[in-house]
Amino acid sequence: MSAFIWLTIITALRILSRNRMRAGLTMLGIVIGVAAVIAMVSIGEGAKKAVQAQIATMGTNVIIIWPGATTMSGVRGAQGGAITLTVSDALDLKKRIPLLSDTGWAKREVMQIVNGNRNWNTSINGISPSYLTIRDWSFASGGPFTQSDMDSAARVALLGQTIVDNLFDPGEEPVGAVIRIKNVPFRVIGVLAAKGQSAQGSDQDDVVFIPFSTAERKVFGTLFLGSIGAMFASTDRTEDLPEAVEQIREVLRARHRLQPEQSDDFTVKTQVDIGKVQEGTSQTLTVMLFSIASVSLLVGGIGIMNILLVSVTERTREIGVRMAVGAKRRHIVMQFLIEAMTLSLLGGALGIVLGIVGAKLTTVIAGWPTIISSDVIVIAFFFSLAVGLFFGLYPANKASRLNPIEALRYE
Amino acid sequence: MSTLIQCDGIWKIYRIGDVEVNALRGLSLTIEQGEFVAIMGASGSGKSTLMNILGCLDQPTRGHYRLNGLEVDKLRPDQLADIRNQQIGFVFQNFNLIARTSALENVQLPLFYRALSLKEQRTRAAGALERVGLSGREHHFSTQLSGGQQQRVAIARALITNPSLLLADEPTGNLDTQSSREIMMILDRLNREGITVILVTHEADIAAYARREIQIQDGQVLSDRATTTRSQSVGV
């Protein structure tokens, strides 16, 4: 760095330290703007990461198929109300579509379960054994039921962590215990590892899994045997998902004998679709953040411009002297630009520190996850530099255009 | 001795609203290297305008000004800045030191605008301060210095670039008699060391330090004569 720039930076810092109050107030706009952006982006990134983790808990490359709505005398019911999907649909899909690595199904009802003198109302899920692998459930203790449990409609149950917390004493081993669902005794053979909240915010661990056959024959009292609540499928590769969805629609439409003009009597969604909804939300958030950032940086920049204009006026004589001893226009421009950038960079640096502290505090106090990305820090840094440069240009240019004779005579 | 300053028929015309003011009316002047010249005149005579033109802070409307053989009236602002930086040292009535900045850094200022290492700049600034007898006060701020000392800092600042021309505009106007004497002695000494000094003043006893006295009136040279006695008698 040339001696001139170095000296100018030192001079700028000295001038700022002499007018600490003024410099501080001037920087405040930038400090607040940058701090707000850093904190908000960190919180946003943390939330995004958490949502992604939640979506990942659904399983890997999962496709979910719900039955369509019922129509009674022209009144359409809620989605999933119809009983158009069946176990044979699921089996047929697996047979006909090689892209699908597996299909599974489930049907659920909210019921009371009892262990000794405690009870709890929760969703009882009758599932195919494949459901557990598709949805990536793992076990804290015990293990899954098997196809033979399915065939014999065995009275065995898998409990989610929330169920264990509510029906068992701490430290009590649930595996091997007998609980009752709708007065039917079930032997607990496995406890599922906790998954936490779903992307929609529901507690994924508040579940009981029992074999599908047991559920429809011994617990739910289903009218049409083989009708299912939801169907699940998975592919080996993420990029196969759209193609798999297309093929599923074709097969199901054919099986359900739908005419071309009829709409689907089912809904197919992939994990990717669900992720996209969340992405859209976070994009809206990002746009909002950037508008807030722009406004506060604009305000901060105007503050810097204002104080520099004051400074140019106050130091008119100094500018005259500098010109008299040989400063060229560009030297004067540089001097004031460097002062502006020193201000804005200091403000930016303070803002970055404040923003990081704010994000950490949010994690500590509110318990929200935050991720401080180095990207946003670098961007904030260059943004504050740019603000200094942009808003310093006018005062610097004004200073450099002073007539040295008049500047020297300025009182 | 070669010619340092040559002015030929210099006009300076200002426009204030609709009125044209002729600050200089075809002034011609020649100053040799090593001279000690006092320019005198009442306010409004045009001596300040002449000073600004000689100092390359301003350019004549008409006429020619050669400094060290260079036609200054044809130069662009950046070239003028270079000339001011390399050939001219200014001393002002109100010292014009930069506030809250040490004496050393004030002296260093002209070197800011040159590609010199910081170390070299400091060494030369210290040397210039020594020449005006202010060694040991490098880190004093102007508020900690007397008027005479401040003016000496200003002279050191003018000297640091080894200029061929020192322009002093009423250098003793804000000083008491004792300090004025000290400042004039320094200027006299510098002149004896070879620097051309041009002094603008309206005080006859200050002008008497010079060896040539030019009277300006209505933008023209009224009289131009050598002053003989005083400088020799007071000089040493």
Side-chain angles (χ1 to χ4, degrees):
Chain A
M1 216 186 299
S2 85
F4 169 72
I5 292 179
W6 190 231
L7 274 172
T8 308
I9 291 172
I10 294 174
T11 310
L13 286 173
R14 197 184 299 150
I15 287 166
L16 295 185
S17 73
R18 271 203 309 252
N19 299 309
R20 265 187 221 123
M21 183 74 167
R22 190 159 105 178
L25 289 174
T26 306
M27 287 188 294
L28 211 55
I30 302 251
V31 173
I32 292 173
V34 168
V37 171
I38 300 265
M40 298 295 267
V41 169
S42 302
I43 293 167
E45 288 287 310
K48 205 160 119 190
K49 193 73 171 251
V51 167
Q52 279 168 355
Q54 283 167 350
I55 289 169
T57 62
M58 285 175 62
T60 324
N61 306 330
V62 176
I63 301 168
I64 306 175
I65 306 139
W66 291 281
T70 51
T71 307
M72 296 272 264
S73 336
V75 177
R76 302 184 72 193
Q79 176 169 294
I83 41 174
T84 50
L85 288 181
T86 62
V87 172
S88 51
D89 281 338
L91 293 172
D92 202 37
L93 281 178
K94 189 181 176 186
K95 205 159 46 182
R96 296 232 215 146
I97 306 173
L99 275 179
L100 299 181
S101 52
D102 210 349
T103 58
W105 55 92
K107 187 182 185 79
R108 89 175 168 180
E109 264 179 50
V110 173
M111 287 188 163
Q112 193 189 52
I113 53 174
V114 178
N115 175 36
N117 57 356
R118 302 187 196 194
N119 70 81
W120 183 248
N121 270 283
T122 187
S123 89
I124 310 295
N125 294 259
I127 58 167
S128 65
S130 53
Y131 174 88
L132 291 173
T133 46
I134 293 171
R135 297 294 305 267
D136 272 355
W137 279 103
S138 53
F139 287 85
S141 62
F145 48 77
T146 59
Q147 188 60 43
S148 68
D149 290 327
M150 187 76 167
D151 296 339
S152 62
R155 292 191 296 260
V156 290
L158 310 174
L159 305 185
Q161 204 61 54
T162 306
I163 308 293
V164 173
D165 293 344
N166 284 288
L167 285 189
F168 294 89
D169 289 325
E172 191 182 346
E173 179 52 60
V175 174
V178 173
I179 58 165
R180 289 187 306 163
I181 303 171
K182 216 175 139 191
N183 267 330
V184 181
F186 277 82
R187 192 162 47 86
V188 178
I189 59 166
V191 174
L192 299 156
K195 274 197 177 196
Q197 280 192 353
S198 75
Q200 285 76 30
S202 59
D203 181 2
Q204 299 187 90
D205 298 319
D206 193 3
V207 284
V208 173
F209 292 130
I210 56 176
F212 185 80
S213 49
T214 318
E216 70 176 353
R217 287 178 212 163
K218 296 180 178 162
V219 183
F220 293 171
T222 316
L223 271 173
F224 303 98
L225 282 185
S227 78
I228 60 183
M231 193 150 59
F232 300 85
S234 65
T235 60
D236 287 332
R237 300 185 309 168
T238 311
E239 52 270 34
D240 289 336
L241 281 174
E243 176 62 24
V245 167
E246 265 323 293
Q247 294 186 14
I248 287 170
R249 287 191 58 220
E250 262 171 50
V251 172
L252 285 180
R253 285 185 69 89
R255 282 183 59 85
H256 296 181
R257 298 193 170 78
L258 295 177
Q259 300 301 314
E261 72 276 8
Q262 283 180 287
S263 56
D264 293 347
D265 60 356
F266 54 87
T267 311
V268 190
K269 280 232 164 94
T270 68
Q271 201 174 2
V272 176
D273 298 332
I274 293 164
K276 266 186 193 143
V277 177
Q278 305 291 343
E279 245 168 59
T281 317
S282 70
Q283 250 162 25
T284 315
L285 202 75
T286 310
V287 169
M288 271 178 57
L289 279 176
F290 271 98
S291 359
I292 294 169
S294 326
V295 170
S296 48
L297 286 176
L298 185 77
V299 172
I302 291 168
I304 287 183
M305 180 152 81
N306 180 41
I307 218 70
L308 273 171
L309 285 173
V310 172
S311 180
V312 168
T313 310
E314 280 179 350
R315 287 154 67 196
T316 300
R317 276 258 293 274
E318 176 192 324
I319 295 165
V321 173
R322 286 177 183 275
M323 286 173 160
V325 301
K328 294 174 186 164
R329 274 198 56 195
R330 62 185 160 86
H331 289 127
I332 303 293
V333 169
M334 285 278 276
Q335 181 181 350
F336 282 92
L337 277 188
I338 285 175
E339 272 176 41
M341 287 192 285
T342 309
L343 260 175
S344 66
L345 273 186
L346 270 178
L350 271 176
I352 288 171
V353 171
L354 210 68
I356 291 174
V357 170
K360 296 271 184 219
L361 279 181
T362 311
T363 307
V364 172
I365 294 170
W368 296 356
T370 52
I371 295 172
I372 294 150
S373 78
S374 52
D375 285 6
V376 71
I377 291 177
V378 171
I379 290 171
F381 183 82
F382 281 105
F383 239 85
S384 26
L385 194 71
V387 164
L389 192 67
F390 183 78
F391 288 96
L393 270 177
Y394 174 69
N397 193 45
K398 193 179 165 193
S400 78
R401 284 182 187 280
L402 286 174
N403 177 336
I405 299 165
E406 283 164 22
L408 280 169
R409 233 183 271 143
Y410 186 86
E411 291 299 326
Chain B
M1 244 182 230
S2 60
T3 303
L4 179 69
I5 285 171
Q6 190 168 9
C7 296
D8 288 319
I10 286 188
W11 285 75
K12 184 68 192 181
I13 302 163
Y14 293 110
R15 226 167 215 296
I16 303 167
D18 289 339
V19 189
E20 281 193 351
V21 180
N22 296 313
L24 295 177
R25 305 156 184 256
L27 181 142
S28 295
L29 187 65
T30 306
I31 294 173
E32 304 294 321
Q33 244 160 31
E35 280 198 81
F36 191 163
V37 182
I39 294 177
M40 299 193 69
S43 57
S45 61
K47 66 178 196 298
S48 293
T49 306
L50 177 63
M51 188 77 181
N52 290 334
I53 288 174
L54 292 181
C56 297
L57 286 165
D58 205 353
Q59 284 179 299
T61 315
R62 261 183 287 157
H64 298 288
Y65 169 32
R66 284 169 163 273
L67 176 68
N68 249 343
L70 207 68
E71 294 208 27
V72 173
D73 49 285
K74 295 202 172 60
L75 297 180
R76 287 179 286 108
D78 274 5
Q79 294 171 311
L80 287 176
D82 275 335
I83 292 196
R84 290 198 296 271
N85 186 245
Q86 286 153 20
Q87 308 214 20
I88 300 170
F90 288 96
V91 177
F92 304 97
Q93 176 175 2
N94 49 19
F95 323 135
N96 272 334
L97 297 183
I98 294 178
R100 288 176 286 191
T101 303
S102 71
L104 190 76
E105 276 181 78
N106 264 296
V107 175
Q108 211 181 317
L109 195 64
L111 301 185
F112 257 52
Y113 307 107
R114 290 193 184 183
L116 279 179
S117 75
L118 268 183
K119 198 172 165 228
E120 163 111 37
Q121 292 191 16
R122 295 224 170 95
T123 316
R124 282 177 67 168
L129 276 174
E130 203 184 328
R131 274 178 89 179
V132 296
L134 279 181
S135 291
R137 307 205 185 245
E138 285 88 349
H139 300 291
H140 284 51
F141 285 3
S142 42
T143 42
Q144 297 166 299
L145 298 169
S146 71
Q149 286 171 328
Q150 289 185 51
Q151 193 60 300
R152 281 196 270 166
V153 172
I155 293 173
R157 179 176 68 194
L159 282 180
I160 193 168
T161 57
N162 292 323
S164 38
L165 174 62
L166 195 78
L167 278 175
D169 190 358
E170 304 271 11
T172 59
N174 285 8
L175 298 177
D176 57 51
T177 325
Q178 175 58 27
S179 304
S180 299
R181 215 178 97 83
E182 283 168 19
I183 293 300
M184 290 319 294
M185 301 278 274
I186 291 174
L187 291 182
D188 184 65
R189 196 186 75 223
L190 292 172
N191 174 250
R192 283 169 199 280
E193 286 166 17
I195 299 174
T196 311
V197 178
I198 298 179
L199 173 72
V200 173
T201 183
H202 60 267
E203 291 172 70
D205 55 334
I206 294 298
Y209 282 88
R211 279 176 271 283
R212 179 180 167 192
E213 188 183 298
I214 298 170
Q215 288 277 352
I216 306 282
Q217 195 175 22
D218 297 330
Q220 285 172 320
V221 176
L222 181 71
S223 72
D224 186 349
R225 63 186 176 86
T227 58
T228 43
T229 49
R230 181 79 186 259
S231 57
Q232 275 86 15
S233 61
V234 192
V236 186

